[in-house]
Amino acid sequence: MYAQNAYNSYKTNSINYASKDQLLLMLVDGAVKYAKIGKQAIEDKDIKKAHENITRTQDIFYELMATLDVSKAPVWGQNLMNVYRFIVDRLIQANMKKDVKIMDEVIPLVENVKDTWNEAYKLSVGMK
């Protein structure tokens, strides 16, 4: 019980004191996690769990789309927006059809977005 309370406090503090960039990384990490849970739930025929986790993934990408300032990098930003839209569209299809193949297509894209943002963060803080 104590360990769980300590973990929850740590997690809450991590979020409350994270920078904007760190929050973005947490979001994309969550997107990968929820997409994989959603896929596994489809395989397990757990429709409710699949729906909840796929929509969580969608919500993360909607948030990324809402906060993306395309005006600061019009070409790059628009390309990224298109990737986000494509991922959301495929997630919607996967959720409606409960289709593992679509999730197999989408998960590497979500992982690629995560890897791209992780690399951008490392470059921005001077890490290699």
Side-chain angles (χ1 to χ4, degrees):
M1 182 71 158
Y2 174 76
Q4 185 63 37
N5 288 341
Y7 173 74
N8 287 339
S9 293
Y10 168 78
K11 195 164 96 173
T12 300
N13 285 334
S14 295
I15 293 167
N16 288 339
Y17 296 105
S19 70
K20 181 178 162 187
D21 295 336
Q22 291 167 326
L23 287 173
L24 177 96
L25 297 179
M26 288 179 201
L27 276 175
V28 292
D29 284 344
V32 171
K33 173 185 160 187
Y34 296 131
K36 288 180 177 180
I37 292 171
K39 176 190 171 200
Q40 186 61 52
I42 292 171
E43 291 172 343
D44 296 342
K45 307 288 189 234
D46 188 338
I47 304 305
K48 182 177 187 266
K49 186 174 182 180
H51 174 74
E52 288 170 352
N53 284 282
I54 293 171
T55 55
R56 280 181 176 166
T57 309
Q58 287 171 231
D59 289 345
I60 289 169
F61 277 92
Y62 285 133
E63 183 64 26
L64 292 172
M65 291 165 71
T67 59
L68 182 62
D69 187 354
V70 177
S71 68
K72 292 192 177 180
V75 174
W76 183 85
Q78 191 56 54
N79 288 338
L80 189 56
M81 183 67 78
N82 292 339
V83 170
Y84 291 169
R85 280 191 188 117
F86 179 79
I87 289 170
V88 168
D89 288 345
R90 296 306 286 158
L91 287 168
I92 291 168
Q93 290 300 311
N95 198 11
M96 288 184 353
K97 298 176 182 179
K98 299 300 184 258
D99 191 328
V100 171
K101 290 180 184 176
I102 297 174
M103 292 305 291
D104 285 337
E105 169 192 330
V106 171
I107 289 171
L109 297 173
V110 175
E111 290 173 328
N112 194 330
V113 168
K114 178 192 138 211
D115 293 343
T116 299
W117 281 116
N118 277 314
E119 191 61 32
Y121 176 73
K122 288 177 187 174
L123 290 172
S124 74
V125 296
M127 296 170 59
K128 288 191 176 187

